[in-house]
Short mmCIF file of all heavy atoms in Angstrom, two decimals:
data_model
loop_
_atom_site.label_atom_id
_atom_site.label_comp_id
_atom_site.label_asym_id
_atom_site.label_seq_id
_atom_site.Cartn_x
_atom_site.Cartn_y
_atom_site.Cartn_z
N LEU A 106 -6.01 -62.99 -35.52
CA LEU A 106 -4.62 -63.22 -35.86
C LEU A 106 -4.78 -63.38 -37.51
O LEU A 106 -5.75 -64.20 -38.04
CB LEU A 106 -4.04 -64.45 -35.36
CG LEU A 106 -3.74 -64.34 -33.90
CD1 LEU A 106 -3.44 -65.74 -33.25
CD2 LEU A 106 -2.63 -63.38 -33.64
N THR A 107 -3.83 -62.95 -38.28
CA THR A 107 -3.62 -63.22 -39.73
C THR A 107 -2.78 -64.29 -39.91
O THR A 107 -1.55 -64.25 -39.65
CB THR A 107 -3.28 -62.00 -40.39
OG1 THR A 107 -4.15 -60.85 -40.22
CG2 THR A 107 -3.12 -62.27 -41.92
N PRO A 108 -3.24 -65.53 -40.37
CA PRO A 108 -2.36 -66.65 -40.62
C PRO A 108 -1.42 -66.47 -41.90
O PRO A 108 -1.92 -66.04 -42.91
CB PRO A 108 -3.35 -67.74 -40.84
CG PRO A 108 -4.58 -67.16 -41.44
CD PRO A 108 -4.68 -65.72 -40.84
N ILE A 109 -0.20 -66.72 -41.56
CA ILE A 109 0.76 -66.80 -42.85
C ILE A 109 1.25 -68.25 -42.84
O ILE A 109 1.72 -68.79 -41.94
CB ILE A 109 1.89 -66.00 -42.49
CG1 ILE A 109 1.51 -64.41 -42.45
CG2 ILE A 109 3.02 -65.91 -43.63
CD1 ILE A 109 2.60 -63.61 -41.92
N LEU A 110 1.16 -68.87 -43.97
CA LEU A 110 1.59 -70.27 -44.12
C LEU A 110 3.01 -70.30 -44.61
O LEU A 110 3.39 -69.60 -45.64
CB LEU A 110 0.79 -71.00 -45.24
CG LEU A 110 -0.55 -71.23 -44.84
CD1 LEU A 110 -1.47 -72.25 -45.88
CD2 LEU A 110 -0.78 -71.95 -43.44
N ALA A 111 3.87 -70.77 -43.79
CA ALA A 111 5.37 -70.91 -44.17
C ALA A 111 5.59 -71.88 -45.28
O ALA A 111 5.21 -72.96 -45.28
CB ALA A 111 6.12 -71.34 -42.88
N HIS A 112 6.45 -71.23 -46.19
CA HIS A 112 6.94 -72.13 -47.37
C HIS A 112 5.99 -73.24 -47.87
O HIS A 112 6.25 -74.43 -47.82
CB HIS A 112 8.24 -72.76 -47.04
CG HIS A 112 8.42 -73.39 -45.79
ND1 HIS A 112 7.77 -74.52 -45.49
CD2 HIS A 112 9.22 -73.01 -44.78
CE1 HIS A 112 8.06 -74.88 -44.22
NE2 HIS A 112 9.01 -73.94 -43.77
N PRO A 113 4.78 -72.87 -48.30
CA PRO A 113 3.79 -73.86 -48.77
C PRO A 113 4.31 -74.61 -50.00
O PRO A 113 3.93 -75.78 -50.34
CB PRO A 113 2.52 -73.12 -49.11
CG PRO A 113 2.97 -71.77 -49.48
CD PRO A 113 4.19 -71.51 -48.39
N GLU A 114 5.24 -73.96 -50.77
CA GLU A 114 5.72 -74.61 -52.00
C GLU A 114 6.71 -75.86 -51.67
O GLU A 114 6.81 -76.70 -52.48
CB GLU A 114 6.76 -73.53 -52.70
CG GLU A 114 8.04 -73.36 -52.16
CD GLU A 114 8.14 -72.45 -50.97
OE1 GLU A 114 7.00 -72.03 -50.42
OE2 GLU A 114 9.21 -72.23 -50.37
N ARG A 115 7.07 -76.08 -50.36
CA ARG A 115 7.85 -77.21 -50.04
C ARG A 115 7.14 -78.57 -49.78
O ARG A 115 7.70 -79.55 -49.58
CB ARG A 115 8.75 -76.93 -48.85
CG ARG A 115 9.69 -75.69 -49.05
CD ARG A 115 10.58 -75.43 -47.87
NE ARG A 115 11.40 -76.68 -47.38
CZ ARG A 115 11.98 -76.69 -46.24
NH1 ARG A 115 12.13 -75.53 -45.54
NH2 ARG A 115 12.54 -77.71 -45.92
N PHE A 116 5.71 -78.34 -49.78
CA PHE A 116 4.92 -79.59 -49.36
C PHE A 116 4.48 -80.19 -50.70
O PHE A 116 3.72 -79.67 -51.47
CB PHE A 116 3.70 -79.17 -48.58
CG PHE A 116 4.30 -78.45 -47.27
CD1 PHE A 116 3.98 -77.11 -47.09
CD2 PHE A 116 4.94 -79.06 -46.32
CE1 PHE A 116 4.42 -76.47 -45.94
CE2 PHE A 116 5.36 -78.54 -45.12
CZ PHE A 116 5.16 -77.11 -44.92
N LYS A 117 4.89 -81.43 -50.77
CA LYS A 117 4.64 -82.16 -52.06
C LYS A 117 3.17 -82.49 -52.40
O LYS A 117 2.77 -82.48 -53.56
CB LYS A 117 5.38 -83.49 -52.06
CG LYS A 117 6.91 -83.34 -52.22
CD LYS A 117 7.69 -84.52 -52.30
CE LYS A 117 9.27 -84.38 -52.46
NZ LYS A 117 10.00 -85.58 -52.51
N TYR A 118 2.35 -82.57 -51.23
CA TYR A 118 0.98 -82.76 -51.57
C TYR A 118 0.22 -81.59 -52.11
O TYR A 118 -0.84 -81.71 -52.65
CB TYR A 118 0.27 -83.16 -50.13
CG TYR A 118 0.69 -82.32 -48.92
CD1 TYR A 118 -0.04 -81.16 -48.73
CD2 TYR A 118 1.46 -82.78 -48.04
CE1 TYR A 118 0.26 -80.50 -47.49
CE2 TYR A 118 1.82 -82.13 -46.84
CZ TYR A 118 1.13 -80.94 -46.55
OH TYR A 118 1.38 -80.19 -45.45
N TYR A 119 0.87 -80.50 -52.05
CA TYR A 119 0.17 -79.25 -52.75
C TYR A 119 0.80 -79.33 -54.22
O TYR A 119 -0.01 -78.96 -55.08
CB TYR A 119 0.56 -77.98 -52.10
CG TYR A 119 0.00 -77.73 -50.78
CD1 TYR A 119 0.67 -77.17 -49.72
CD2 TYR A 119 -1.35 -78.20 -50.44
CE1 TYR A 119 0.11 -76.95 -48.52
CE2 TYR A 119 -1.96 -78.08 -49.31
CZ TYR A 119 -1.24 -77.41 -48.26
OH TYR A 119 -1.81 -77.19 -47.05
N ALA A 120 1.88 -79.82 -54.49
CA ALA A 120 2.42 -79.83 -55.86
C ALA A 120 1.51 -80.66 -56.81
O ALA A 120 1.34 -80.53 -58.05
CB ALA A 120 3.81 -80.34 -55.85
N ILE A 121 0.84 -81.65 -56.27
CA ILE A 121 -0.13 -82.46 -57.09
C ILE A 121 -1.49 -82.10 -56.96
O ILE A 121 -2.30 -82.70 -57.66
CB ILE A 121 0.13 -84.03 -56.73
CG1 ILE A 121 -0.30 -84.08 -55.19
CG2 ILE A 121 1.49 -84.54 -56.86
CD1 ILE A 121 -0.33 -85.64 -54.73
N ASN A 122 -1.79 -80.94 -56.34
CA ASN A 122 -3.04 -80.48 -56.23
C ASN A 122 -2.92 -78.91 -56.02
O ASN A 122 -3.38 -78.36 -54.90
CB ASN A 122 -3.87 -80.94 -55.04
CG ASN A 122 -5.19 -80.50 -54.84
OD1 ASN A 122 -5.86 -80.01 -55.80
ND2 ASN A 122 -5.86 -80.72 -53.71
N LYS A 123 -2.53 -78.27 -57.01
CA LYS A 123 -2.23 -76.87 -56.78
C LYS A 123 -3.58 -75.98 -56.62
O LYS A 123 -3.43 -74.88 -56.19
CB LYS A 123 -1.56 -76.41 -58.10
CG LYS A 123 -0.10 -76.92 -58.17
CD LYS A 123 0.67 -76.26 -59.41
CE LYS A 123 2.15 -76.73 -59.32
NZ LYS A 123 2.40 -78.20 -59.56
N GLN A 124 -4.69 -76.43 -57.07
CA GLN A 124 -5.92 -75.75 -56.66
C GLN A 124 -5.98 -75.58 -55.11
O GLN A 124 -6.80 -74.67 -54.78
CB GLN A 124 -7.09 -76.32 -57.32
CG GLN A 124 -7.21 -76.14 -58.74
CD GLN A 124 -7.20 -74.59 -59.11
OE1 GLN A 124 -7.86 -73.91 -58.58
NE2 GLN A 124 -6.28 -74.33 -59.99
N ARG A 125 -5.41 -76.39 -54.38
CA ARG A 125 -5.51 -76.33 -52.91
C ARG A 125 -4.77 -74.93 -52.56
O ARG A 125 -5.26 -74.31 -51.55
CB ARG A 125 -4.88 -77.48 -52.23
CG ARG A 125 -5.00 -77.42 -50.75
CD ARG A 125 -6.40 -77.55 -50.24
NE ARG A 125 -6.58 -77.58 -48.82
CZ ARG A 125 -7.41 -77.10 -48.04
NH1 ARG A 125 -8.39 -76.38 -48.65
NH2 ARG A 125 -7.34 -77.26 -46.83
N PHE A 126 -3.74 -74.53 -53.21
CA PHE A 126 -3.02 -73.42 -53.01
C PHE A 126 -4.05 -72.18 -53.15
O PHE A 126 -4.23 -71.25 -52.19
CB PHE A 126 -1.99 -73.06 -54.01
CG PHE A 126 -0.75 -73.70 -53.77
CD1 PHE A 126 -0.06 -74.41 -54.90
CD2 PHE A 126 -0.11 -73.86 -52.60
CE1 PHE A 126 1.16 -75.03 -54.70
CE2 PHE A 126 1.10 -74.47 -52.41
CZ PHE A 126 1.69 -75.16 -53.46
N VAL A 127 -4.80 -72.25 -54.16
CA VAL A 127 -5.92 -71.13 -54.49
C VAL A 127 -6.97 -71.17 -53.31
O VAL A 127 -7.30 -70.13 -52.85
CB VAL A 127 -6.49 -71.38 -55.78
CG1 VAL A 127 -7.63 -70.28 -56.06
CG2 VAL A 127 -5.38 -71.38 -56.90
N GLN A 128 -7.44 -72.40 -52.93
CA GLN A 128 -8.40 -72.31 -51.82
C GLN A 128 -7.91 -71.74 -50.58
O GLN A 128 -8.68 -71.05 -49.95
CB GLN A 128 -8.77 -73.95 -51.67
CG GLN A 128 -9.54 -74.46 -52.78
CD GLN A 128 -9.65 -76.05 -52.62
OE1 GLN A 128 -9.22 -76.66 -51.61
NE2 GLN A 128 -10.50 -76.63 -53.57
N LEU A 129 -6.69 -72.19 -50.19
CA LEU A 129 -6.14 -71.68 -48.90
C LEU A 129 -6.01 -70.11 -48.90
O LEU A 129 -6.29 -69.40 -47.93
CB LEU A 129 -4.87 -72.40 -48.53
CG LEU A 129 -5.00 -73.93 -48.20
CD1 LEU A 129 -3.73 -74.50 -48.12
CD2 LEU A 129 -5.68 -74.05 -46.98
N HIS A 130 -5.40 -69.70 -50.11
CA HIS A 130 -5.25 -68.27 -50.21
C HIS A 130 -6.53 -67.47 -50.25
O HIS A 130 -6.58 -66.48 -49.47
CB HIS A 130 -4.42 -68.04 -51.55
CG HIS A 130 -3.70 -66.59 -51.59
ND1 HIS A 130 -4.21 -65.48 -51.99
CD2 HIS A 130 -2.46 -66.30 -50.95
CE1 HIS A 130 -3.40 -64.53 -51.85
NE2 HIS A 130 -2.31 -64.97 -51.21
N ASN A 131 -7.46 -67.90 -50.86
CA ASN A 131 -8.88 -67.32 -50.85
C ASN A 131 -9.44 -67.36 -49.54
O ASN A 131 -10.23 -66.53 -49.09
CB ASN A 131 -9.71 -68.09 -51.90
CG ASN A 131 -9.40 -67.72 -53.35
OD1 ASN A 131 -8.70 -66.75 -53.60
ND2 ASN A 131 -9.90 -68.47 -54.29
N ALA A 132 -9.09 -68.36 -48.61
CA ALA A 132 -9.71 -68.49 -47.24
C ALA A 132 -9.08 -67.42 -46.36
O ALA A 132 -9.35 -67.30 -45.11
CB ALA A 132 -9.48 -69.82 -46.69
N GLY A 133 -7.97 -66.71 -46.88
CA GLY A 133 -7.50 -65.70 -46.01
C GLY A 133 -5.93 -65.91 -45.52
O GLY A 133 -5.46 -65.09 -44.73
N ALA A 134 -5.32 -66.98 -45.89
CA ALA A 134 -4.12 -67.38 -45.48
C ALA A 134 -3.07 -66.63 -46.39
O ALA A 134 -3.09 -66.90 -47.65
CB ALA A 134 -3.79 -68.91 -45.45
N LEU A 135 -2.12 -65.99 -45.95
CA LEU A 135 -1.00 -65.30 -46.72
C LEU A 135 -0.04 -66.50 -46.94
O LEU A 135 0.19 -67.38 -46.10
CB LEU A 135 -0.46 -64.14 -45.94
CG LEU A 135 -1.39 -62.95 -45.64
CD1 LEU A 135 -0.69 -61.82 -44.94
CD2 LEU A 135 -2.05 -62.46 -46.98
N PHE A 136 0.77 -66.27 -48.09
CA PHE A 136 1.84 -67.33 -48.36
C PHE A 136 3.11 -66.71 -48.25
O PHE A 136 3.35 -65.69 -48.86
CB PHE A 136 1.54 -67.81 -49.81
CG PHE A 136 0.44 -68.79 -49.91
CD1 PHE A 136 0.15 -69.24 -51.22
CD2 PHE A 136 -0.40 -69.12 -48.91
CE1 PHE A 136 -1.02 -70.16 -51.43
CE2 PHE A 136 -1.43 -70.08 -49.09
CZ PHE A 136 -1.68 -70.60 -50.32
N GLN A 137 3.95 -67.33 -47.52
CA GLN A 137 5.40 -66.94 -47.40
C GLN A 137 6.20 -67.95 -48.11
O GLN A 137 6.30 -69.12 -47.52
CB GLN A 137 5.86 -66.72 -45.97
CG GLN A 137 7.34 -66.37 -45.68
CD GLN A 137 8.16 -67.70 -45.43
OE1 GLN A 137 7.87 -68.47 -44.47
NE2 GLN A 137 9.19 -68.00 -46.22
#
């Protein structure tokens, strides 16, 4: 299965650690 993360921009814990976005995307999660 190809994981798609729903609206990751809405989670405040990523707003204070934006490199986590990069890590998750690099791990193969698509961002919606």
